[in-house]
Amino acid sequence: MNTTPASGPAAPIVVGTDCSESARRAVLFALREAQLRGVGVRAVCAYGGGHTEPPGTALTGWRTSGEPSPHLQDAVARDVTDSIEELRQQVGEPYVEVEVRCDRGRPAQVLLEASQDASLLVVGTRGAGLWGRLTLGSTSTEIVHHAHLPVVVVPPPPEGATG
C-alpha cells in the first residue's frame, strides 16, 4: 500500500472580489497567505446573478431591463484584473500567480463552485462594491454554512483605523 500523497500542483486559494474595500482586504489576505503557502490565487467575481439594476448603470454597462449588457463580463474582468494587479504589487515579491474569473451568477454559488479544487476560500464581510451586488442575506454567511473547505471571512478594520 502506497501512502505517499499524490504530487501535483498545490491547491489554490480562492478569493471573492467585487472591487469593494471589503473585497480588497480579502484579496490582500489571500495574496499574503498564498505567499506563505507557495500557491496561486483564483480571484472570483460574480456578476449579473438576476439582481435588479445596480446603481451607477452608466459605468457598469447594465441595461434598464436589469440584464447585463453583452460586454459586462469584459468590463468586470478588466476592473477586477486592474485591482488585483495593484494589490499584487502592494504585497510585493515573491509575486503570486493569480487567475481571474468573472462568472455570471449568485456570488455564493459562483464562489462555492470555483472553490471545488481549492485549499482555502477567502471572502470579505460585506460586498456590493463597484458592481452593486446587493442581495438578500449575506454571501459570507451562506459560504460559511455551505463550504466544503476552510473559509476565512476577513473582518473590517477596527473603527478609527487608517489604511
Side-chain angles (χ1 to χ4, degrees):
M1 174 183 225
N2 185 357
T3 58
T4 306
S7 64
I13 293 173
V14 171
V15 61
T17 185
D18 62 3
C19 299
S20 66
E21 278 307 308
S22 179
R24 289 175 62 85
R25 284 190 303 279
V27 170
L28 282 171
F29 179 93
L31 289 170
R32 290 177 180 135
E33 186 65 22
Q35 281 180 325
L36 293 173
R37 295 180 182 208
V39 300
V41 168
R42 181 178 302 139
V44 178
C45 181
Y47 70 95
H51 308 301
T52 58
E53 183 176 326
T57 57
L59 298 175
T60 63
W62 284 71
R63 295 180 181 159
T64 56
S65 68
E67 287 295 315
S69 75
H71 303 291
L72 180 60
Q73 183 174 9
D74 292 339
V76 171
R78 238 185 344 269
D79 286 348
V80 169
T81 300
D82 291 348
S83 176
I84 297 293
E85 185 55 30
E86 175 190 329
L87 295 171
R88 214 175 74 129
Q89 294 297 322
Q90 182 179 331
V91 170
E93 294 184 10
Y95 291 116
V96 173
E97 185 175 324
V98 179
E99 170 194 1
V100 175
R101 284 185 41 183
C102 297
D103 296 329
R104 186 174 177 166
R106 283 186 329 99
Q109 179 183 1
V110 168
L111 286 165
L112 290 169
E113 288 173 5
S115 67
Q116 289 298 313
D117 65 342
S119 60
L120 182 68
L121 177 55
V122 180
V123 294
T125 55
R126 185 175 186 103
L130 179 62
W131 300 105
R133 289 185 290 122
L134 299 172
T135 61
L136 296 174
S138 168
T139 297
S140 57
T141 300
E142 185 176 346
I143 285 171
V144 167
H145 288 290
H146 297 286
H148 68 283
L149 72 166
V151 175
V152 173
V153 179
V154 179
E159 246 183 82
T162 58

